[in-house]
Amino acid sequence: LHNQGITLLKEAEAAQEDSTRRRFYAEAASWFKRADQLDPEALDNVYNLGLVYFQLVSLGDSTHAGDARETFERFLVRAEKKEERANTLYQLTLLEIRAKDWDKADEYADRFIAADPHDPTAYQLKAVATTERGKAELSEAYIIFYNSLEKGKPVENLDAWLGQAKTRYGATGDVAKALKEKGTPEEVRSYTDSSGNDMDSFFYWSKGEAIAFYGGNKRGALAFPAQTP
């Protein structure tokens, strides 16, 4: 049953027309569902069942949104690999964004960041959700984290960069205050936007903390599970 579902899933992915893809995904769902009824502990099957439901919703069949959410949540309870959890939470966040359930999208984006705080897409989706919830200032911080991780580069000579930042932004500015309070970050990532302003992110990975700056002014901070080297 599972193998037949996989075959149909591949057929759907290769199809050119949305109507054909929908048909193959719907057929795959029926096979994965039967396999799930026989062996609900088969984690691969649970994920693939959630995936075909998600794809059906992406193709306009909103009736399966609840099925996708419930099945992916079942998967998350037992998934052990960080990559699997992050990928599933990415899809759940997208699911809620498409449904315009901004509270749920915000919640899933938080869980996505917690699962993999190194993934810039998590911050991008969080920025979307917070913007739609009317939290523009908070959204700006997540846009900074996204841009510095996705488009920026890690600062190579950290001590030299921090010394220049104190001079550039002032000895009593937000950057200097953060360094005094939190100490030297384990990583700094910087990106210059189209206006010529710097987006800087300080990451204290082992503490599970990050701070966002725009033009040297603090725009927000966040906490996540401490990351091992």
Side-chain angles (χ1 to χ4, degrees), residues 79-96:
E80 296 180 356
K81 294 181 180 178
K82 179 178 75 173
E83 295 80 5
E84 292 177 340
R85 293 182 57 79
N87 186 51
T88 304
L89 287 162
Y90 163 73
Q91 292 173 100
L92 281 165
T93 309
L94 276 184
L95 186 75
E96 302 303 344

Side-chain angles (χ1 to χ4, degrees), residues 12-111:
E13 291 169 347
Q16 299 299 311
E17 300 293 331
D18 283 355
S19 58
T20 306
R21 280 197 288 270
R22 276 194 294 268
R23 177 168 59 83
F24 280 131
Y25 281 133
E27 291 178 12
S30 67
W31 289 92
F32 286 134
K33 189 172 182 179
R34 289 168 65 190
D36 187 47
Q37 290 169 344
L38 286 175
D39 185 4
E41 299 302 310
L43 206 54
D44 263 3
N45 192 73
V46 175
Y47 176 78
N48 282 299
L49 180 57
L51 179 62
V52 293
Y53 284 144
F54 172 82
Q55 296 293 2
L56 284 168
V57 174
S58 300
L59 289 168
D61 186 353
S62 60
T63 61
H64 287 296
D67 295 326
R69 189 182 304 113
E70 179 184 347
T71 308
F72 276 146
E73 285 287 7
R74 281 179 53 208
F75 177 81
L76 285 170
V77 168
R78 292 164 47 218
E80 296 180 356
K81 294 181 180 178
K82 179 178 75 173
E83 295 80 5
E84 292 177 340
R85 293 182 57 79
N87 186 51
T88 304
L89 287 162
Y90 163 73
Q91 292 173 100
L92 281 165
T93 309
L94 276 184
L95 186 75
E96 302 303 344
I97 286 175
R98 287 168 179 161
K100 300 187 185 303
D101 188 334
W102 305 115
D103 289 343
K104 268 290 185 184
D106 198 25
E107 176 189 331
Y108 279 126
D110 279 335
R111 291 171 63 183

Side-chain angles (χ1 to χ4, degrees), residues 123-140:
Y123 302 98
Q124 183 183 37
L125 296 183
K126 178 70 175 179
V128 172
T130 50
T131 297
E132 293 295 340
R133 294 185 70 203
K135 299 182 177 181
E137 290 185 6
L138 182 60
S139 179
E140 184 182 9

Side-chain angles (χ1 to χ4, degrees), residues 67-221:
D67 295 326
R69 189 182 304 113
E70 179 184 347
T71 308
F72 276 146
E73 285 287 7
R74 281 179 53 208
F75 177 81
L76 285 170
V77 168
R78 292 164 47 218
E80 296 180 356
K81 294 181 180 178
K82 179 178 75 173
E83 295 80 5
E84 292 177 340
R85 293 182 57 79
N87 186 51
T88 304
L89 287 162
Y90 163 73
Q91 292 173 100
L92 281 165
T93 309
L94 276 184
L95 186 75
E96 302 303 344
I97 286 175
R98 287 168 179 161
K100 300 187 185 303
D101 188 334
W102 305 115
D103 289 343
K104 268 290 185 184
D106 198 25
E107 176 189 331
Y108 279 126
D110 279 335
R111 291 171 63 183
F112 185 7
I113 292 172
D116 188 2
H118 293 270
D119 191 331
T121 307
Y123 302 98
Q124 183 183 37
L125 296 183
K126 178 70 175 179
V128 172
T130 50
T131 297
E132 293 295 340
R133 294 185 70 203
K135 299 182 177 181
E137 290 185 6
L138 182 60
S139 179
E140 184 182 9
Y142 287 101
I143 290 170
I144 293 168
F145 289 130
Y146 166 72
N147 281 318
S148 58
L149 281 168
E150 176 67 17
K151 303 174 185 179
K153 295 181 179 180
V155 172
E156 293 183 2
N157 190 334
L158 193 57
D159 290 336
W161 187 93
L162 291 171
Q164 292 168 4
K166 285 182 182 178
T167 301
R168 185 164 65 250
Y169 299 134
T172 59
D174 288 351
V175 169
K177 289 177 183 177
L179 292 171
K180 184 177 180 180
E181 180 184 347
K182 299 290 185 182
T184 302
E186 291 157 318
E187 183 177 9
V188 172
R189 296 189 68 104
S190 187
Y191 171 73
T192 303
D193 68 11
S194 58
S195 300
N197 292 307
D198 293 330
M199 293 183 172
D200 303 315
S201 296
F202 286 11
F203 292 99
Y204 299 85
W205 296 115
S206 62
K207 296 179 182 178
E209 298 178 4
I211 307 172
F213 301 91
Y214 185 69
N217 297 310
K218 183 178 177 180
R219 285 293 186 262

